[in-house]
Structures are given as structure tokens and as C-alpha cells.
Amino acid sequence: MQHPIAILDSGVGGLTVAKEVMRQLPRERIIYFGDTLRTPYGPRPYEEVLRFTREIVDYLVQFGPKMIVIACNTATAVALEDIRTRVNIPVVGVIHPGSRAAIGRTKSGLIGVIGTEGTIRSKAYEHALKQLSPNIEVLSKACPRFVPLVEQGNFYSSETHEAVSESLEGLKESRMDTLILGCTHYPFLAETIQAVMGPEVSLISSAEETAREISTILHEKGKLSQGDVIPVHQFCCSGDPRLFKMIAQDWLDEQIELTPVVWQVPKIG
């Protein structure tokens, strides 16, 4: 039996991580849960995000995963250490991988971070960046308008461009050369964010680095999938399955053409 990698998110944002895992680790089976009914997590109280994350993990463990990936920055900031104490398999978040990538990219030493209110309030990125490089300067800003736009599949409209431009006001004038997209939803808006910030600013998505970390951990534990079995992925959501499926199919594109997918709408909570 092929044990899956379980990936959870507050909605569709974690698909950015799922896509990288499918690209870098094509033999691995994924079970994905997007909590689209209760998104966004950013404005919610700490205790609520913790409870939601625990509920989703409790749902996912029935599939016997060999690893859990919390592909939501807010849930990572709130619940990563808690979940690690509740399961006996590796649990990976997205904050430290994204921070490592940003440290490796910056030349000016000033790194910007945009994220949900919960992630920015937690200062999780600031702590992770300072832990890796104490002299790094960090400029953080919450962008609460982004997640609802992504969850609606509204990536390229004039409304989206206006929201991005207004939200990034103040960051554009700084001397930062690296900007962490501190929410896995934000890569859906990367084209607009890049246009607003300008070509001299490097955007960092934690997805690629997180997939590398997943690969490293599974390799070290001897749990990378072997052989030529084609994995069958499962994608679950708690809200509107039609919108979720439309966004997922558009984002994952060729990845889900290469492997079969099962779509589910489970009940949790």
C-alpha cells in the first residue's frame, strides 16, 4: 500500500505546494484538504485556527499518511508544534522553507513579508528569518484582501490589480529586493504582485522549498515511493466543490492530466 503525503490548507492556496510536490516527486500520492467553507483563517482567533487544524488532521490521519504538510502559513504559525505532538509522523510547515529561500536570494538584507493578519501578527516569519540571519531587516504587511480574491478565482481583474496596488503601498518605496509571499494563496496573484513591485524585487513562494524539504525528510527516513506505480491523488474540500475543482484543475494543469484524481467533499467538524 502506498502511503500518501497529506497536505492541508485553509482553501485553495495549498495547491501551490501540491503542484510542486507533484512536479518534484511524481511517484508520491497526495491527499489534499482545502477548508474552503471556513476560509480565510487569517482574521480568525488563535484558538479557532488551532481547532480547525486539529479537525482536519484528525480527518486526514484515517488515510494513513506518511507525512503531514501544513500548507497554510497561518495554520503553520499557530498549530505546527501542536500537531507535531499529536501525531507520530513528520509534520512540515511552510514558514521555515520560505525563509531559507529568501535569505539565499536577498542582496540588500531587507526582506519584505506579506501575509494574512494572523501570520503577520504572529511574527513567525520575522522570528524564522532572524534565527537564520540575525542581521536581516524585515518589513511585514498584512494583505487581507488577497485570499478572498483567490478563493473566488479572481486573479487578473482590474479589481484585483487595484487591491494589490493599494495593499502593497508603502512596500514599493522601500529598498527591499526580496518579498516573501507569506500565504500560499498569494502565488495565484504573483503576476500582478510582480507588476506592482517591479522587476527588481524577487518574489519568494515557499512551495518549491517546501517540496524540497519534503523530499529530503522522506529520503532520510527511507520513505520515498519507489517503482512505477502511478499515484492516484485525492482532493477534498469543505465548501463549494465546483469552484474548488475549477481552480484546482486550472492551477494543476498538466499535473492532474498525468495522474488520476479523486474529488471528494467530506464532512468534518
Side-chain angles (χ1 to χ4, degrees):
M1 177 183 176
Q2 187 187 14
H3 293 279
I5 297 170
I7 302 176
L8 67 94
D9 183 63
S10 63
V12 301
L15 293 170
T16 58
V17 176
K19 184 174 184 175
E20 271 301 311
V21 173
M22 294 165 82
R23 185 181 71 84
Q24 293 186 33
L25 300 168
R27 290 191 176 98
E28 299 297 337
R29 183 162 72 93
I30 291 170
I31 177 164
Y32 180 97
F33 190 99
D35 196 8
T36 51
L37 185 66
R38 303 184 292 195
T39 196
Y41 280 11
R44 293 184 180 275
Y46 175 101
E47 295 77 11
E48 202 167 39
V49 174
L50 181 60
R51 176 166 62 85
F52 290 173
T53 308
R54 286 174 173 175
E55 287 174 357
I56 297 170
V57 169
D58 288 346
Y59 173 79
L60 290 171
V61 293
Q62 70 179 301
F63 297 95
K66 58 185 174 183
M67 172 181 282
I68 293 172
V69 182
I70 303 178
C72 169
N73 286 267
T74 303
T76 296
V78 168
L80 178 64
E81 297 307 323
D82 175 84
I83 299 301
R84 282 175 171 167
T85 67
R86 295 167 66 88
V87 298
N88 59 0
I89 55 174
V91 182
V92 173
V94 288
I95 290 175
H96 278 273
S99 298
R100 282 199 303 272
I103 292 287
R105 189 76 59 85
T106 185
K107 298 292 191 297
S108 69
L110 175 60
I111 295 174
V113 180
I114 53 175
T116 67
E117 295 157 292
T119 299
I120 299 303
R121 187 169 57 245
S122 74
K123 296 189 176 181
Y125 270 102
E126 186 173 341
H127 295 322
L129 289 163
K130 293 283 190 180
Q131 189 178 46
L132 291 166
S133 183
N135 294 324
I136 285 289
E137 293 180 71
V138 184
L139 188 58
S140 302
K141 188 168 187 181
C143 298
R145 297 166 68 182
F146 290 5
V147 170
L149 289 168
V150 172
E151 288 291 331
Q152 295 159 16
N154 187 359
F155 308 145
Y156 305 111
S157 69
S158 57
E159 175 194 3
T160 299
H161 191 278
E162 182 181 349
V164 170
S165 185
E166 291 176 357
S167 297
L168 298 182
E169 203 67 52
L171 296 182
K172 293 183 290 184
E173 292 74 28
S174 72
R175 59 180 178 81
M176 75 171 63
D177 62 353
T178 306
L179 178 63
I180 297 175
L181 306 182
C183 172
T184 48
H185 284 73
Y186 293 3
F188 284 91
L189 305 178
E191 187 177 319
T192 304
I193 293 171
Q194 189 74 75
V196 169
M197 292 301 296
E200 66 280 359
V201 176
S202 295
L203 303 186
I204 300 294
S205 166
S206 59
E208 188 174 334
E209 197 72 19
T210 300
R212 285 200 193 98
E213 183 160 318
I214 291 167
S215 177
T216 299
I217 292 171
L218 292 179
H219 174 72
E220 289 175 349
K221 294 185 174 294
K223 291 189 175 182
L224 282 171
S225 293
Q226 307 294 326
D228 298 322
V229 177
I230 296 175
V232 179
H233 306 301
Q234 291 172 264
F235 287 84
C236 314
C237 71
S238 56
D240 182 351
R242 291 165 300 179
L243 181 59
F244 175 81
K245 187 174 181 180
M246 181 191 74
I247 294 171
Q249 287 179 321
D250 182 62
W251 180 256
L252 297 174
D253 194 21
E254 72 223 20
Q255 274 78 6
I256 60 172
E257 290 181 12
L258 295 173
T259 56
V261 171
V262 175
W263 304 95
Q264 296 177 313
V265 185
K267 294 184 183 298
I268 65 161

